[in-house]
Amino acid sequence: MFVSDCRRDFYERIVSQRVLLLVASDVDALCACKILQALFQCDHVQYTLVPVSGWQELETAFLEHKDQIKLLVKPDDDLDVPAYDDIFRDEEEEEEESEAESDGSEPSDKRRRFEEEVIERTMKRRQRREWEARRREILFDYEQYEYHGTSSAMVMFDLAWMMSKDLNDMLWWAIVGLTDQWVQDKITQMKYVTDIGILQRHVSRHNHRNEDEENSLSIDCMRIAFEYDLRLALYQHWSLYESLCNTSYTSANLKLWSVQGQKRLQEFLADMGLPLKQVKQKFNSMDITLKENLKEMIEESASKFGMKDLRVQTFSIHFGFKNKFLASDIVYATASLMESIEKEGPETTNFIKALDSLSRGNLDKLHQGLDLAKKQLRAIQQTVASCICTNLVISQGPFLYCSLMEGTPDVRLFSKPVSLCLLSKYLLKSFVCSTKNKRCKLLPLIMAAPMDVEQGTVIMVGIPPETESSDKKNFFGRAFEKAAESTNSRTLHNHFDMSIIELKTEDRSKFLDALISLLS
């Protein structure tokens, strides 16, 4: 069924039931889950929370709870949806019967009416064929590409707002969900800016108190603010130097994997008038006079070095007096907790930690996530530098291909889907900035990394080309399916993101050959 009214067709149908809440392993899904949990708590709804990282876990969860699951779907009659046969009634049998009954002795007016009916039925059948052809075309276009719509967290916040149950915490989770889409490069810049504008109105409504009011001075207060901040990862919780080196945008534009790129970084810092001693210490310890106009200084110098988009629209949150985080800080921290390779207890431990880090009462978990995120970003940039310097990115004709070998530093981290996707996107940006081949700049990238050495599997991800006009639509999901089918490759399409697959190592060559011929 199509949900036209989220409150009537969705929430009011589950609010009186016990709910099975299945949550995917990405930050946007976690944020949507937090909003729903808050709504359920408000309405005293009982629920069971089950994390699912892919289709197999989703199927397992369904089978475990299928005896208690009810389908709360309205019948088609209530939806005023006509049946297919009512739209196109195939009357070939009736026509044949009429022809059998007709003979040359019937009156001319009856024959004329019969001919008119035949013409009408013929037109209907033609319309039906045209409709089916158009339907196949639309479905092909729809299924050929994979792309992301509005953030799930934003949809859930909109539901809470419609019911007048929206809180500042819910608004913050919606902001983090949207920022996750932007950090993961899932949506266009235009979509991001449009959704930022929607959330900005809610931020103004929820955070309009003056600074001199008593509530704004509470140590437990939470305040969200719109920011036009720097596009530097975790810079307020790191050193400015480390952030510049490990942010994809600055690293790619300055080409920091090369000696010349390191010189350009020194020139960039000198142009801003920032001493190395200051930029290499923790941001919080920097001279306060330097930090006052830091954003303007960096933006001015960045434009001279070809980085015109170093500032971006975002939001920040203040907890009490000293804790301030940007929305992107939370995204990096939560994603790192969720894909942590440190084994601590059952498989759901990472999921629970990541979910808890989104609550303002668990700042210790959030700081733990920030430390993991710094390690992840360092590992990504070191791997990108290694791949470019050793020419591991090769053109396979219709796409670029890069494969990480077993024994590569931090290779275990890149057996996780979100980390591998981040690495792939950072690598493609850096490659586009480094190559002089104009054709290669327009190609998509397929990246592979060892998944399970004992089982002999690799994880493979495909990402669309890195162009300014990119609509972020990914066609690799269908291409992977067809290539696996045509070569009988042993693949596992377990991830919700269809452009990520698991593949037997010995089948990789024939799988790639099939992809080349398919996309050429």
Side-chain angles (χ1 to χ4, degrees):
M1 64 178 284
F2 292 99
V3 177
S4 56
D5 185 326
C6 209
R7 178 179 181 175
R8 185 191 67 224
D9 298 339
F10 167 64
Y11 193 76
E12 289 179 358
R13 292 183 166 273
I14 65 171
V15 75
S16 59
Q17 309 286 332
R18 182 179 178 89
V19 178
L20 176 62
L21 192 54
L22 303 170
V23 185
S25 298
D26 70 71
V27 178
D28 181 32
L30 290 182
C31 292
C33 172
K34 292 293 287 186
I35 296 172
L36 267 178
Q37 283 181 308
L39 288 174
F40 288 166
Q41 186 176 1
C42 180
D43 291 321
H44 307 290
V45 178
Q46 290 185 323
Y47 66 92
T48 300
L49 175 60
V50 180
V52 287
S53 60
W55 295 107
Q56 286 183 337
E57 290 186 3
L58 180 63
E59 183 182 3
T60 302
F62 176 80
L63 292 174
E64 284 179 3
H65 300 88
K66 66 178 182 179
D67 295 335
Q68 305 170 55
I69 293 176
K70 297 179 182 177
L71 292 178
L72 303 174
V73 182
K74 292 191 290 186
D76 284 350
D77 293 341
D78 293 348
L79 292 170
D80 295 326
V81 178
Y84 181 85
D85 289 338
D86 290 338
I87 302 174
F88 299 106
R89 185 181 297 278
D90 192 355
E91 300 177 352
E92 288 182 11
E93 293 181 5
E94 294 179 16
E95 183 181 328
E96 289 172 1
E97 289 174 5
S98 298
E99 287 175 355
E101 292 173 1
S102 301
D103 54 35
S105 61
E106 64 183 352
S108 59
D109 57 338
K110 190 174 181 181
R111 181 181 292 277
R112 187 172 61 253
R113 285 199 306 272
F114 171 72
E115 289 173 350
E116 288 173 356
E117 287 176 9
V118 170
I119 293 171
E120 186 180 347
R121 289 168 188 159
T122 305
M123 291 297 293
K124 280 187 177 181
R125 283 198 294 274
R126 184 181 298 169
Q127 288 172 358
R128 175 177 174 173
R129 285 193 294 270
E130 289 174 356
W131 182 86
E132 286 178 338
R134 178 65 180 149
R135 178 177 179 272
R136 283 194 298 270
E137 183 183 335
I138 292 171
L139 282 175
F140 179 80
D141 289 341
Y142 176 74
E143 294 173 352
Q144 183 182 16
Y145 297 103
E146 188 176 35
Y147 52 93
H148 293 81
T150 302
S151 153
S152 302
M154 278 191 69
V155 173
M156 290 300 104
F157 176 77
D158 193 50
L159 171 66
W161 174 59
M162 284 192 293
M163 298 190 297
S164 301
K165 294 177 181 177
D166 53 316
L167 303 171
N168 223 13
D169 288 282
M170 295 182 186
L171 175 55
W172 178 245
W173 293 324
I175 288 168
V176 174
L178 170 62
T179 307
D180 174 58
Q181 288 190 318
W182 179 73
V183 167
Q184 301 287 345
D185 208 25
K186 292 177 178 177
I187 54 174
T188 63
Q189 184 68 18
M190 180 61 71
K191 172 67 174 168
Y192 174 71
V193 171
T194 303
D195 287 349
I196 281 283
I198 294 169
L199 291 173
Q200 191 176 354
R201 292 193 287 272
H202 290 295
V203 168
S204 301
R205 181 169 56 86
H206 274 280
N207 300 268
H208 63 279
R209 293 192 296 266
N210 295 321
E211 287 296 322
D212 57 349
E213 286 192 18
E214 186 178 347
N215 285 338
S216 66
L217 296 176
S218 166
I219 194 168
D220 297 320
C221 80
M222 168 184 168
R223 183 163 51 87
I224 303 172
F226 174 77
E227 303 260 356
Y228 192 48
D229 215 308
L230 297 172
R231 194 176 179 175
L232 297 176
L234 309 176
Y235 79 94
Q236 295 180 3
H237 310 279
W238 217 348
S239 69
L240 189 61
Y241 184 83
E242 288 275 19
S243 182
L244 282 165
C245 289
N246 294 294
T247 297
S248 168
Y249 182 74
T250 49
S251 175
N253 280 279
L254 294 173
K255 303 177 184 175
L256 295 183
W257 54 85
S258 65
V259 175
Q260 190 63 33
Q262 291 293 328
K263 287 181 181 178
R264 278 172 61 81
L265 176 60
Q266 303 295 331
E267 292 170 7
F268 177 55
L269 294 171
D271 189 77
M272 289 187 289
L274 294 176
L276 273 178
K277 183 180 178 181
Q278 288 289 327
V279 296
K280 286 192 174 182
Q281 64 181 331
K282 283 188 176 180
F283 182 80
N284 287 337
S285 304
M286 280 181 68
D287 191 327
I288 195 166
T289 56
L290 290 174
K291 288 197 289 186
E292 281 177 354
N293 300 313
L294 183 66
K295 294 175 187 176
E296 289 74 17
M297 289 164 56
I298 290 181
E299 186 177 30
E300 185 179 344
S301 295
S303 60
K304 299 176 186 176
F305 285 78
M307 296 182 287
K308 296 180 180 178
D309 300 319
L310 195 55
R311 289 183 76 174
V312 67
Q313 297 177 46
T314 186
F315 296 94
S316 65
I317 191 167
H318 296 255
F319 297 134
F321 297 119
K322 72 172 188 176
N323 291 298
K324 179 187 176 183
F325 303 93
L326 292 176
S328 57
D329 298 340
I330 309 294
V331 170
Y332 285 119
T334 306
S336 297
L337 283 170
M338 196 156 43
E339 292 201 335
S340 172
I341 55 176
E342 300 170 6
K343 295 204 172 181
E344 299 178 15
E347 292 181 3
T348 55
T349 302
N350 287 348
F351 178 89
I352 293 168
K353 272 190 178 180
L355 193 64
D356 287 346
S357 71
L358 292 170
S359 300
R360 52 174 151 160
N362 292 313
L363 290 181
D364 55 335
K365 286 191 176 67
L366 182 57
H367 285 291
Q368 183 185 348
L370 289 172
D371 291 336
L372 286 173
K374 292 172 191 175
K375 291 178 183 177
Q376 182 195 50
L377 288 171
R378 281 197 196 100
I380 287 174
Q381 290 307 326
Q382 288 168 5
T383 307
V384 166
S386 173
C387 290
I388 290 179
C389 292
T390 56
N391 298 317
L392 280 182
V393 182
I394 55 176
S395 174
Q396 293 279 24
F399 57 84
L400 302 169
Y401 177 69
C402 179
S403 176
L404 299 181
M405 305 302 293
E406 183 62 37
T408 305
D410 303 300
V411 74
R412 278 183 62 222
L413 176 65
F414 302 122
S415 65
K416 306 290 185 179
V418 174
S419 298
L420 184 61
C421 285
L422 265 182
L423 170 64
S424 304
K425 284 162 185 172
Y426 284 20
L427 177 59
L428 185 57
K429 285 178 184 176
S430 300
F431 181 79
V432 166
C433 290
S434 68
T435 186
K436 294 178 181 178
N437 189 321
K438 291 183 179 179
R439 182 178 172 277
C440 285
K441 289 177 184 283
L442 303 175
L443 293 178
L445 171 70
I446 292 177
M447 188 152 197
M451 178 85 181
D452 190 319
V453 180
E454 292 179 0
Q455 294 184 6
T457 58
V458 295
I459 181 171
M460 196 175 282
V461 61
I463 57 171
E466 179 64 30
T467 58
E468 291 183 3
S469 60
S470 174
D471 55 8
K472 307 300 178 186
K473 289 185 177 181
N474 194 327
F475 58 84
F476 276 115
R478 287 294 294 273
F480 285 165
E481 284 181 2
K482 289 184 177 179
E485 187 180 335
S486 64
T487 57
N488 292 321
S489 297
R490 290 162 292 175
T491 58
L492 179 61
H493 301 263
N494 185 41
H495 299 275
F496 296 126
D497 187 340
M498 296 304 292
S499 59
I500 303 172
I501 64 162
E502 295 170 31
L503 173 74
K504 280 288 185 181
T505 308
E506 54 262 34
D507 292 341
R508 178 163 44 179
S509 295
K510 65 178 181 180
F511 179 80
L512 287 172
D513 289 341
L515 266 181
I516 293 169
S517 61
L518 185 66
L519 299 175
S520 295

